[in-house]
Amino acid sequence: MKIAIASGKGGTGKTTVAVNLALSLQNAQLMDCDVEEPNCNLFLKREMEPITEVTSIIPEILEENCTYCKKCSEFCRFNAIATLPNKIMTFPALCHSCGGCMMVCPEGAIQECEIVTGIIRKSTTKDQNGPELYEGLLDIGQTMASPVIGEVKKYIDPTRTTIIDAPPGTACPVLTTLEDVDYCILVTEPTPFGLHDLKLAVEVARILKIPHGILINRSGSGDDSVEKYCADEGIEVLMKIPQDTRIARLYSEGIPFVEEMEEWKEKFMQLHNSIKDRYGKREEA
Amino acid sequence: MKQLVIISGKGGTGKTTITAAIASLAENSIIADCDVDAPNMHLLLEPKVIETFDFHGMDVANIDDEKCSGCNLCIENCNFNAIFPDHSINSCKCEGCGVCEYVCPENAITMVDNPSGTVFSSNTRYGPMVHAELFIGQEASGKLVTSVKEHAMSLAGENGSDLVIYDGPPGTGCPVIATITGADLALIVTEPSVSGIHDLERIIKVTDHFGIPAIVCINKYNINEENTKQIEISCEENGIVVAGKLPYDTIPNRAMIGKKTVIEYADNEFSENLKSIWRTVKAELDATS
């Protein structure tokens, strides 16, 4: 089954939860879909090998054929082409690769040019029971995260438990990540910022009709407004990870805390089993 | 008039806490919350909304069932897989490019206006503020950031402001690039964790790529002083000013619960360090041309 770890806000502990949960399970997959900042491997420290590049198609203008008729720049809704009386310019960073400009050009003056926007990597070292890690990495200066996320998700093995580390926010990259997952763990912290962004994340899960529960990280560091909200809305609080300087210190050093605090492995395993029993697909049983 | 952006690469490093504190120290400034996916600044500054503006993202395709002959040309030509097999539109995936409308031989497809958020112009106890709400599941958060910035700039012009302060989104992608475009200085907030260092390196590549001068502030520095040292050394090697360090403290959370900025909430090491960071930021801003 596919379990995504998400949160409206950044920095709530998504990666911590994803990595520690995946390490507590047997033979899981871990997909790092936070392609703008993939951080899972900072904790797993695996050897990674590139398996595929993510490319997109942008227009290349053959100026000798161009009559500066402006049809392409008028068609492009992303302002990625500008036509001057006798010059034409493209802005690849704005291009969404819809292909429209090539269709409308009457002179065949636009050809496809492939650019690399990101890369997918896979862990090579095979730990006995540790998770198999895949990560997507968006190239610096590129804006289109969703195609890189879509490519990472192609490597999901439907016969295994897959933990997906989602990006923060509520926009396109999150929706691409959460599409088709079976369950979503929403990580939050017990503060007004945490609560505000949790509400947005819950709304996303509800719109996408994904069963979801809450994990409160740094429990005890704020107030009880998150728990009150969950009680009022009938949302299950799955687990609480306390505000603990030992966990914070291990995090800062890049050490997954289940490795030093073994009792948490059992807790994460129970969390997974409880989700799987209730929301896992029958055929995987 | 200068434009200062506060960004971090990584989420949860304390951008909003620090932006709000700077807003309470800066004079004659405009505040803009560019983290349109998960805006939090309003929770501290409690803006009173004066004016609202509808935000229209990209148009989305609409298919007229009566006219559709089921030829599937739209599905075949859509590079975003935004059209379901029954010829309805997946509005979350539609990028609004108009290719389906162009290829449809039956003229069954039109691109329709898509209200996808709201921009607010408000007043706070520290001056005017522009913020926004993106409707859930809408595309175009980069475009909404640009709209927030345009409103902030025009407000700054009307008010004769010296500075516009932007609270940025996490990450390095579309909304971040929209936020930093045109800025005079980026204040990067980081923390001394392996993820903090990794994301700091990535965001510095982004500011370099777009030619935005950057300075760094290390939050929660005493959580891992070896890592803090490493950040300071690496910044020095790369000619990046470290504007200051802030200790790990419960004050930001307590101030947040009390809906105050940390400057208002307490007078201690944390707020003193922040005041000194602001002086450095201001000097760097004044030095930009």
Side-chain angles (χ1 to χ4, degrees):
Chain A
M1 92 178 277
K2 291 174 283 203
I3 302 174
I5 318 297
S7 73
K9 182 173 153 45
T12 55
K14 282 181 297 298
T15 301
T16 300
V17 171
V19 167
N20 285 291
L21 174 59
L23 280 171
S24 303
L25 306 176
Q26 302 282 316
N27 195 30
Q29 279 188 309
L30 176 59
M31 315 308 256
D32 195 339
C33 288
D34 188 0
V35 302
E36 293 181 37
E37 313 286 359
N39 282 350
C40 287
N41 197 40
L42 296 176
F43 297 90
L44 292 177
K45 304 179 186 75
R46 300 288 182 79
E47 293 288 323
M48 300 294 283
E49 69 173 336
I51 46 175
T52 187
E53 281 179 339
V54 184
T55 57
S56 68
I57 302 291
I58 60 165
E60 186 177 30
I61 313 281
L62 304 168
E63 277 218 48
E64 61 273 25
N65 294 357
C66 179
T67 60
Y68 310 105
C69 73
K70 296 190 179 176
K71 287 206 166 73
C72 58
S73 43
E74 280 164 4
F75 185 88
C76 178
R77 291 171 177 247
F78 310 107
N79 303 315
I81 307 181
T83 313
L84 305 171
N86 46 21
K87 181 154 183 65
I88 183 158
M89 294 162 79
T90 60
F91 303 94
L94 299 176
C95 177
H96 286 225
S97 304
C98 69
C101 54
M102 297 163 209
M103 288 179 195
V104 301
C105 178
E107 313 295 339
I110 305 182
Q111 67 180 21
E112 294 187 349
C113 168
E114 198 175 59
I115 56 160
V116 175
T117 58
I119 192 165
I120 311 298
R121 297 193 293 206
K122 173 183 189 273
S123 55
T124 51
T125 42
K126 183 90 178 100
D127 280 5
Q128 280 281 288
N129 298 314
E132 179 180 52
L133 173 67
Y134 287 84
E135 69 173 20
L137 184 65
L138 182 71
D139 280 0
I140 295 292
Q142 292 293 335
T143 58
M144 298 281 283
S146 288
V148 183
I149 294 168
E151 193 63 37
V152 181
K153 290 181 69 186
K154 286 184 186 163
Y155 294 92
I156 291 175
D157 176 352
T159 67
R160 294 160 72 176
T161 296
T162 305
I163 308 299
I164 302 171
D165 191 11
T170 54
C172 349
V174 178
L175 298 180
T176 307
T177 305
L178 296 187
E179 196 184 13
D180 307 325
V181 305
D182 301 303
Y183 191 84
C184 189
I185 298 176
L186 302 173
V187 183
T188 187
E189 54 186 22
T191 64
F193 287 5
L195 173 63
H196 175 264
D197 299 339
L198 172 64
K199 288 178 184 170
L200 299 175
V202 166
E203 217 178 310
V204 171
R206 284 177 177 163
I207 286 172
L208 296 173
K209 300 190 177 67
I210 301 170
H212 52 277
I214 311 295
L215 189 154
I216 302 177
N217 193 15
R218 302 188 195 107
S219 174
S221 67
D223 57 14
D224 60 359
S225 53
V226 165
E227 287 188 69
K228 276 191 181 144
Y229 164 78
C230 290
D232 290 347
E233 294 285 320
I235 303 169
E236 182 182 14
V237 177
L238 300 160
M239 187 189 251
K240 291 183 203 172
I241 300 176
Q243 170 71 14
D244 180 333
T245 46
R246 195 171 162 206
I247 293 177
R249 172 87 199 172
L250 289 168
Y251 172 80
S252 76
E253 290 169 1
I255 299 169
F257 69 88
V258 293
E259 288 184 350
E260 303 273 324
M261 301 159 84
E262 281 277 332
E263 68 277 16
W264 279 93
K265 263 193 183 163
E266 183 64 28
K267 292 184 191 177
F268 277 112
M269 218 162 12
Q270 281 168 8
L271 170 70
H272 167 255
N273 290 342
S274 143
I275 292 170
K276 189 180 171 195
D277 290 347
R278 290 177 294 159
Y279 302 97
K281 291 200 180 85
R282 202 171 288 268
E283 59 266 33
E284 289 174 25
Chain B
M1 188 231 317
K2 296 286 171 71
Q3 299 184 66
L4 170 69
V5 295
I6 290 118
I7 48 174
S8 69
K10 183 173 156 38
T13 55
K15 276 184 301 298
T16 304
T17 296
I18 289 168
T19 310
I22 286 180
S24 66
L25 293 168
E27 278 160 24
N28 196 21
S29 65
I30 304 272
I31 307 140
D33 193 344
C34 292
D35 188 0
V36 296
D37 271 13
N40 286 149
M41 184 70 82
H42 63 285
L43 298 170
L44 294 181
L45 297 185
E46 298 183 288
K48 291 190 182 48
V49 174
I50 294 168
E51 218 176 335
T52 65
F53 309 90
D54 292 336
F55 169 71
H56 300 264
M58 299 304 296
D59 290 352
V60 293
N62 181 54
I63 303 187
D64 182 345
D65 291 341
E66 305 267 296
K67 291 185 183 166
C68 175
S69 64
C71 72
N72 289 344
L73 270 176
C74 54
I75 297 178
E76 286 161 21
N77 283 285
C78 175
N79 280 352
F80 309 105
N81 300 317
I83 308 175
F84 291 113
D86 69 353
H87 303 100
S88 62
I89 302 291
N90 182 340
S91 58
C92 285
K93 289 193 166 183
C94 177
E95 300 257 343
C97 68
V99 162
C100 53
E101 179 187 43
Y102 178 75
V103 298
C104 178
E106 316 295 343
N107 291 322
I109 306 183
T110 41
M111 300 305 293
V112 296
D113 178 53
N114 178 32
S116 50
T118 313
V119 177
F120 305 96
S121 174
S122 302
N123 262 338
T124 74
R125 59 193 183 278
Y126 295 113
M129 169 167 166
V130 179
H131 46 124
E133 249 175 41
L134 186 65
F135 300 154
I136 297 286
Q138 289 295 329
E139 302 276 337
S141 58
K143 204 178 163 199
L144 179 53
V145 167
T146 303
S147 174
V148 167
K149 288 177 67 182
E150 282 166 3
H151 283 287
M153 289 294 280
S154 89
L155 208 54
E158 285 167 28
N159 288 28
S161 307
D162 302 322
L163 178 67
V164 187
I165 305 166
Y166 302 107
D167 186 11
T172 55
C174 180
V176 175
I177 290 170
T179 303
I180 67 171
T181 303
D184 296 288
L185 183 69
L187 173 63
I188 304 175
V189 181
T190 187
E191 61 176 32
S193 62
V194 288
S195 347
I197 292 171
H198 174 259
D199 296 347
L200 173 63
E201 285 165 4
R202 277 180 68 79
I203 194 71
I204 287 175
K205 283 186 191 154
V206 176
T207 51
D208 277 355
H209 184 92
F210 291 95
I212 311 290
I215 62 175
V216 165
C217 147
I218 307 170
N219 196 9
K220 309 174 197 168
Y221 79 89
N222 47 356
I223 275 191
N224 191 323
E225 301 207 26
E226 301 97 274
N227 284 347
T228 295
K229 195 82 214 153
Q230 194 192 322
I231 294 172
E232 288 174 311
I233 291 168
S234 144
C235 284
E236 198 182 333
E237 282 170 1
N238 292 293
I240 295 169
V241 172
V242 176
K245 296 185 282 192
L246 296 165
Y248 176 77
D249 204 309
T250 55
I251 282 181
N253 275 5
R254 284 188 280 145
M256 190 194 295
I257 289 162
K259 297 180 178 176
K260 288 189 160 66
T261 73
V262 287
I263 302 293
E264 294 168 304
Y265 186 79
D267 203 0
N268 64 355
E269 185 194 352
F270 196 93
S271 51
E272 280 309 311
N273 287 9
L274 250 170
K275 285 177 192 164
S276 145
I277 288 167
W278 165 237
R279 285 191 291 271
T280 309
V281 169
K282 200 164 179 315
E284 290 286 326
L285 265 176
D286 290 342
T288 60
S289 50

